[in-house]
Amino acid sequence: MVRWMLEEVGAEYDTVILDYQRTSEGDQWGGAALERPEPDDAERTRFFTEINPIGKIPAIVHDGRVVTETGAICAYLAEAFPEAGLAPTEQERADYYRWMFFSAGPLEQAVTNRRAGFTPLPEQEFFLGYGSYERTVDQLERAVAAHPYIAGEHFTAADVYIGSHIGWGLGLQTLPPREAFLAYAGRLTQRDAFKRAVALDQALLPSA
């Protein structure tokens, strides 16, 4: 998601590759972002102490400031590079933030719980942020079917984030292949920045 967003805004950036399998005290570490096939221990230590101590990716450092959480990174980059035109207009702002936070909260929780095999009982739904998987998916379908893009007629950073959620969900079969999801994802994958991001990630796989 973040690679795609970086390509959309046209930012110059370095990519740091960290060993996904490296462990500490029995915990698996995720890896992320400078293009070195074999990063040294100093890089790993810096990432997991200074950049994101919980050991999760992605993370970016821009002008000396750390930003974690994919949705936050996408929104931040849209504002940091306004010339790309990926921040919302005044008319788009409500839907932009609404669906960004919906995807970061209820949608991700619902999909993750379902993939983990957890289905809440009806009496448990009131204290879960999403209520039920079915209602959450229905709400997502209504959102992507309402306009060509999630906030209206204009592609924004929210489409990078929400479109990636839907793309992953379709690929992993954690979201049903509804026509609205397929049409929305199909529009997004035709973007040049998306194609560049995929090609760059694929090229890094042999060294990872």
Side-chain angles (χ1 to χ4, degrees):
M1 296 185 198
V2 172
R3 170 87 75 183
W4 178 13
M5 186 64 193
L6 287 164
E7 291 295 319
E8 288 282 359
V9 300
E12 294 184 5
Y13 60 94
D14 295 319
T15 302
V16 180
I17 301 174
L18 301 179
D19 186 356
Y20 188 78
Q21 299 299 327
R22 187 170 178 84
T23 59
S24 173
E25 298 180 357
D27 293 329
Q28 189 176 62
W29 287 4
L34 314 178
E35 284 183 355
R36 299 186 185 130
E38 296 181 1
D40 58 30
D41 285 342
E43 288 176 349
R44 294 190 184 95
T45 298
R46 179 172 179 263
F47 185 83
F48 293 109
T49 57
E50 300 177 24
I51 307 300
N52 199 2
I54 67 170
K56 301 294 290 183
I57 60 168
I60 65 168
V61 181
H62 180 245
D63 289 342
R65 294 180 174 86
V66 174
V67 187
T68 65
E69 312 314 316
T70 304
I73 294 171
C74 289
Y76 173 84
L77 290 172
E79 295 185 17
F81 296 87
E83 63 278 6
L86 298 183
T89 64
E90 183 178 352
Q91 292 74 26
E92 295 166 336
R93 192 171 294 122
D95 282 340
Y96 176 91
Y97 284 112
R98 177 186 181 184
W99 299 118
M100 283 276 278
F101 281 84
F102 173 82
S103 295
L107 177 61
E108 185 164 343
Q109 187 182 30
V111 168
T112 300
N113 282 350
R114 186 176 181 86
R115 192 175 185 194
F118 171 68
T119 302
L121 298 172
E123 60 268 25
Q124 295 175 310
E125 292 181 359
F126 79 96
F127 58 78
L128 294 173
Y130 62 93
S132 78
Y133 171 85
E134 291 76 18
R135 291 200 301 277
T136 301
V137 172
D138 289 346
Q139 180 76 320
L140 180 65
E141 181 180 23
R142 287 190 287 270
V144 300
H147 310 284
Y149 298 105
I150 198 67
E153 304 294 320
H154 164 226
F155 178 88
T156 66
D159 292 294
V160 173
Y161 187 57
I162 295 156
S164 295
H165 271 286
I166 290 175
W168 276 101
L170 293 172
L172 296 173
Q173 299 182 335
T174 54
L175 286 175
R178 297 183 182 177
E179 183 177 347
F181 297 154
L182 294 169
Y184 176 66
R187 285 193 293 276
L188 302 187
T189 56
Q190 296 306 306
R191 296 184 65 83
D192 289 342
F194 175 85
K195 295 176 182 179
R196 290 196 303 271
V198 171
L200 289 166
D201 279 344
Q202 291 294 326
L204 288 175
L205 286 176
S207 66

